[in-house]
PDB file of all heavy atoms in Angstrom:
ATOM      1  N   ALA A 117     -10.750  -2.441   5.412  1.00 96.00           N
ATOM      2  CA  ALA A 117     -11.953  -2.897   5.907  1.00 96.00           C
ATOM      3  C   ALA A 117     -11.762  -3.417   7.410  1.00 96.00           C
ATOM      4  O   ALA A 117     -12.704  -4.056   7.887  1.00 96.00           O
ATOM      5  CB  ALA A 117     -12.628  -3.878   5.131  1.00 96.00           C
ATOM      6  N   ASN A 118     -10.734  -3.128   8.077  1.00 96.00           N
ATOM      7  CA  ASN A 118     -10.453  -3.445   9.395  1.00 96.00           C
ATOM      8  C   ASN A 118     -10.825  -2.188  10.207  1.00 96.00           C
ATOM      9  O   ASN A 118     -11.153  -1.208   9.633  1.00 96.00           O
ATOM     10  CB  ASN A 118      -8.976  -3.926   9.751  1.00 96.00           C
ATOM     11  CG  ASN A 118      -8.762  -5.264   8.957  1.00 96.00           C
ATOM     12  OD1 ASN A 118      -9.603  -6.143   8.978  1.00 96.00           O
ATOM     13  ND2 ASN A 118      -7.573  -5.492   8.585  1.00 96.00           N
ATOM     14  N   PHE A 119     -10.470  -2.266  11.514  1.00 96.00           N
ATOM     15  CA  PHE A 119     -11.073  -1.233  12.469  1.00 96.00           C
ATOM     16  C   PHE A 119      -9.926  -0.465  13.114  1.00 96.00           C
ATOM     17  O   PHE A 119      -8.902  -1.011  13.382  1.00 96.00           O
ATOM     18  CB  PHE A 119     -12.036  -1.840  13.514  1.00 96.00           C
ATOM     19  CG  PHE A 119     -13.231  -2.447  12.903  1.00 96.00           C
ATOM     20  CD1 PHE A 119     -13.169  -3.716  12.274  1.00 96.00           C
ATOM     21  CD2 PHE A 119     -14.304  -1.655  12.634  1.00 96.00           C
ATOM     22  CE1 PHE A 119     -14.307  -4.263  11.599  1.00 96.00           C
ATOM     23  CE2 PHE A 119     -15.452  -2.194  12.025  1.00 96.00           C
ATOM     24  CZ  PHE A 119     -15.442  -3.473  11.593  1.00 96.00           C
ATOM     25  N   ARG A 120     -10.199   0.735  13.468  1.00 94.00           N
ATOM     26  CA  ARG A 120      -9.245   1.770  14.138  1.00 94.00           C
ATOM     27  C   ARG A 120     -10.062   2.485  15.177  1.00 94.00           C
ATOM     28  O   ARG A 120     -11.363   2.612  15.182  1.00 94.00           O
ATOM     29  CB  ARG A 120      -8.685   2.770  13.262  1.00 94.00           C
ATOM     30  CG  ARG A 120      -7.750   2.215  12.087  1.00 94.00           C
ATOM     31  CD  ARG A 120      -7.216   3.305  11.189  1.00 94.00           C
ATOM     32  NE  ARG A 120      -6.305   2.782  10.206  1.00 94.00           N
ATOM     33  CZ  ARG A 120      -5.049   2.424  10.325  1.00 94.00           C
ATOM     34  NH1 ARG A 120      -4.395   2.833  11.522  1.00 94.00           N
ATOM     35  NH2 ARG A 120      -4.300   2.160   9.338  1.00 94.00           N
ATOM     36  N   PRO A 121      -9.294   2.981  16.238  1.00 96.00           N
ATOM     37  CA  PRO A 121     -10.078   3.933  17.198  1.00 96.00           C
ATOM     38  C   PRO A 121     -10.503   5.182  16.558  1.00 96.00           C
ATOM     39  O   PRO A 121      -9.806   5.581  15.507  1.00 96.00           O
ATOM     40  CB  PRO A 121      -9.014   4.180  18.211  1.00 96.00           C
ATOM     41  CG  PRO A 121      -7.687   3.927  17.592  1.00 96.00           C
ATOM     42  CD  PRO A 121      -7.881   2.807  16.574  1.00 96.00           C
ATOM     43  N   SER A 122     -11.520   5.815  17.025  1.00 94.00           N
ATOM     44  CA  SER A 122     -11.987   7.057  16.310  1.00 94.00           C
ATOM     45  C   SER A 122     -10.963   8.154  16.461  1.00 94.00           C
ATOM     46  O   SER A 122     -11.084   9.123  15.636  1.00 94.00           O
ATOM     47  CB  SER A 122     -13.371   7.489  16.964  1.00 94.00           C
ATOM     48  OG  SER A 122     -13.209   7.667  18.287  1.00 94.00           O
ATOM     49  N   GLY A 123     -10.115   8.207  17.337  1.00 90.00           N
ATOM     50  CA  GLY A 123      -9.113   9.233  17.542  1.00 90.00           C
ATOM     51  C   GLY A 123      -7.917   9.071  16.621  1.00 90.00           C
ATOM     52  O   GLY A 123      -6.989   9.740  16.745  1.00 90.00           O
ATOM     53  N   THR A 124      -8.023   8.191  15.565  1.00 90.00           N
ATOM     54  CA  THR A 124      -6.819   7.915  14.705  1.00 90.00           C
ATOM     55  C   THR A 124      -6.411   9.123  13.943  1.00 90.00           C
ATOM     56  O   THR A 124      -7.235  10.003  13.587  1.00 90.00           O
ATOM     57  CB  THR A 124      -7.175   6.715  13.786  1.00 90.00           C
ATOM     58  OG1 THR A 124      -5.951   6.422  13.124  1.00 90.00           O
ATOM     59  CG2 THR A 124      -8.337   7.106  12.856  1.00 90.00           C
ATOM     60  N   SER A 125      -5.122   9.147  13.576  1.00 89.00           N
ATOM     61  CA  SER A 125      -4.640  10.276  12.716  1.00 89.00           C
ATOM     62  C   SER A 125      -4.923   9.957  11.229  1.00 89.00           C
ATOM     63  O   SER A 125      -4.674  10.682  10.316  1.00 89.00           O
ATOM     64  CB  SER A 125      -3.184  10.506  13.025  1.00 89.00           C
ATOM     65  OG  SER A 125      -2.464   9.373  12.673  1.00 89.00           O
ATOM     66  N   THR A 126      -5.173   8.647  10.946  1.00 87.00           N
ATOM     67  CA  THR A 126      -5.532   8.306   9.513  1.00 87.00           C
ATOM     68  C   THR A 126      -6.808   8.978   9.156  1.00 87.00           C
ATOM     69  O   THR A 126      -7.792   9.025   9.776  1.00 87.00           O
ATOM     70  CB  THR A 126      -5.737   6.694   9.524  1.00 87.00           C
ATOM     71  OG1 THR A 126      -4.542   6.050  10.060  1.00 87.00           O
ATOM     72  CG2 THR A 126      -6.041   6.297   8.104  1.00 87.00           C
ATOM     73  N   THR A 127      -6.709   9.451   7.933  1.00 89.00           N
ATOM     74  CA  THR A 127      -7.808  10.329   7.443  1.00 89.00           C
ATOM     75  C   THR A 127      -8.836   9.536   6.582  1.00 89.00           C
ATOM     76  O   THR A 127     -10.022   9.898   6.550  1.00 89.00           O
ATOM     77  CB  THR A 127      -7.343  11.494   6.552  1.00 89.00           C
ATOM     78  OG1 THR A 127      -6.573  11.010   5.372  1.00 89.00           O
ATOM     79  CG2 THR A 127      -6.419  12.448   7.359  1.00 89.00           C
ATOM     80  N   GLU A 128      -8.391   8.351   5.959  1.00 93.00           N
ATOM     81  CA  GLU A 128      -9.300   7.609   5.140  1.00 93.00           C
ATOM     82  C   GLU A 128     -10.116   6.560   6.036  1.00 93.00           C
ATOM     83  O   GLU A 128      -9.841   5.377   5.877  1.00 93.00           O
ATOM     84  CB  GLU A 128      -8.498   6.911   4.053  1.00 93.00           C
ATOM     85  CG  GLU A 128      -7.982   7.845   3.006  1.00 93.00           C
ATOM     86  CD  GLU A 128      -9.080   8.574   2.280  1.00 93.00           C
ATOM     87  OE1 GLU A 128     -10.073   7.946   1.801  1.00 93.00           O
ATOM     88  OE2 GLU A 128      -8.924   9.774   2.195  1.00 93.00           O
ATOM     89  N   VAL A 129     -11.078   7.145   6.859  1.00 94.00           N
ATOM     90  CA  VAL A 129     -11.764   6.218   7.698  1.00 94.00           C
ATOM     91  C   VAL A 129     -13.297   6.548   7.677  1.00 94.00           C
ATOM     92  O   VAL A 129     -13.564   7.743   7.219  1.00 94.00           O
ATOM     93  CB  VAL A 129     -11.290   6.354   9.267  1.00 94.00           C
ATOM     94  CG1 VAL A 129      -9.924   5.743   9.374  1.00 94.00           C
ATOM     95  CG2 VAL A 129     -11.406   7.741   9.816  1.00 94.00           C
ATOM     96  N   SER A 130     -14.092   5.777   8.081  1.00 94.00           N
ATOM     97  CA  SER A 130     -15.545   5.954   8.159  1.00 94.00           C
ATOM     98  C   SER A 130     -15.934   6.839   9.337  1.00 94.00           C
ATOM     99  O   SER A 130     -15.025   7.171  10.285  1.00 94.00           O
ATOM    100  CB  SER A 130     -16.318   4.618   8.292  1.00 94.00           C
ATOM    101  OG  SER A 130     -16.083   3.982   9.561  1.00 94.00           O
ATOM    102  N   GLY A 131     -17.182   7.028   9.567  1.00 94.00           N
ATOM    103  CA  GLY A 131     -17.677   7.614  10.787  1.00 94.00           C
ATOM    104  C   GLY A 131     -17.680   6.575  11.806  1.00 94.00           C
ATOM    105  O   GLY A 131     -17.323   5.327  11.573  1.00 94.00           O
ATOM    106  N   VAL A 132     -18.144   6.889  13.047  1.00 95.00           N
ATOM    107  CA  VAL A 132     -18.197   5.976  14.125  1.00 95.00           C
ATOM    108  C   VAL A 132     -19.212   4.810  13.849  1.00 95.00           C
ATOM    109  O   VAL A 132     -20.317   5.084  13.410  1.00 95.00           O
ATOM    110  CB  VAL A 132     -18.525   6.686  15.534  1.00 95.00           C
ATOM    111  CG1 VAL A 132     -18.767   5.583  16.537  1.00 95.00           C
ATOM    112  CG2 VAL A 132     -17.360   7.563  15.888  1.00 95.00           C
TER     113      VAL A 132
END
Side-chain angles (χ1 to χ4, degrees):
N118 292 325
F119 297 84
R120 294 182 181 271
S122 61
T124 183
S125 60
T126 303
T127 57
E128 291 298 311
V129 294
S130 69
V132 172

